């Protein structure tokens, strides 16, 4: 028999949010909002409704660093934001930034993701 997924009934969920540029993260930190691609919206909304808390860990692609982390504080709606100036993003949702700090991936190389073939978290 199959064992249940370790994700079932998880009170806390974590997601790595990759941004194409630092400006998007700065906008998020100033306005307390975020937007992602429509393909990510379903996963994040499910996590928001099924978990006690959802943490988003932000990293700019190619930076080799995490730029901080926030708590997802609303579900993703249909309203879009012009702040990012791109049509590829979906609806906006609220985030509460907890830590705004650049942390090199080398400081987290001991963290492995059991739901992604134990690959490094970066």
């Amino acid at each position: 028999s199959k064992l249940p997924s370790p994700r079932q009934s998880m009170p806390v969920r974590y997601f790595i949010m990759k941004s194409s540029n630092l400006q998007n993260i700065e906008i998020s930190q100033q306005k307390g909002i975020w937007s992602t691609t429509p393909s990510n919206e379903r996963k994040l909304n499910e996590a928001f409704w099924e978990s006690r808390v959802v943490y988003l860990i932000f990293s700019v692609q190619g930076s080799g660093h995490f730029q901080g982390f926030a708590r997802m504080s609303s579900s993703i709606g249909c309203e879009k934001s012009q702040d990012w100036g791109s049509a590829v993003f979906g609806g906006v949702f609220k985030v509460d930034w907890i830590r705004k700090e650049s942390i090199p991936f080398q400081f987290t190389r001991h963290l492995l993701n059991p739901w992604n073939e134990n690959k490094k978290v970066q």
Side-chain angles (χ1 to χ4, degrees):
S1 70
K2 278 180 87 176
L3 293 173
S5 165
R7 286 188 180 163
Q8 290 178 352
S9 303
M10 291 188 74
V12 179
R13 297 286 302 272
Y14 300 88
F15 292 90
I16 304 290
M17 306 304 292
K18 292 288 190 174
S19 177
S20 60
N21 61 64
L22 186 58
Q23 182 181 1
N24 290 350
I25 291 177
E26 290 170 347
I27 290 168
S28 175
Q29 290 173 341
Q30 291 168 4
K31 296 190 173 196
I33 59 172
W34 189 250
S35 186
T36 188
T37 59
S39 62
N40 290 332
E41 288 183 341
R42 182 187 56 79
K43 289 181 202 174
L44 288 173
N45 267 340
E46 283 177 8
F48 181 79
W49 291 113
E50 296 172 1
S51 305
R52 184 173 50 84
V53 65
V54 177
Y55 290 111
L56 307 175
I57 304 163
F58 293 86
S59 177
V60 174
Q61 292 173 344
S63 71
H65 289 73
F66 292 111
Q67 280 72 37
F69 68 100
R71 182 180 61 84
M72 190 174 172
S73 57
S74 78
S75 62
I76 302 169
C78 297
E79 180 186 339
K80 296 190 179 212
S81 174
Q82 300 303 315
D83 289 312
W84 285 278
S86 176
V88 300
F89 294 113
V92 173
F93 59 100
K94 294 179 182 177
V95 295
D96 295 323
W97 278 86
I98 298 165
R99 187 80 179 227
K100 303 171 188 177
E101 184 175 346
S102 183
I103 301 168
F105 289 161
Q106 67 188 26
F107 290 174
T108 61
R109 67 176 168 234
H110 64 285
L111 299 176
L112 304 176
N113 184 345
W115 297 288
N116 190 18
E117 302 170 357
N118 281 323
K119 292 180 181 174
K120 292 177 187 175
V121 176
Q122 59 184 45

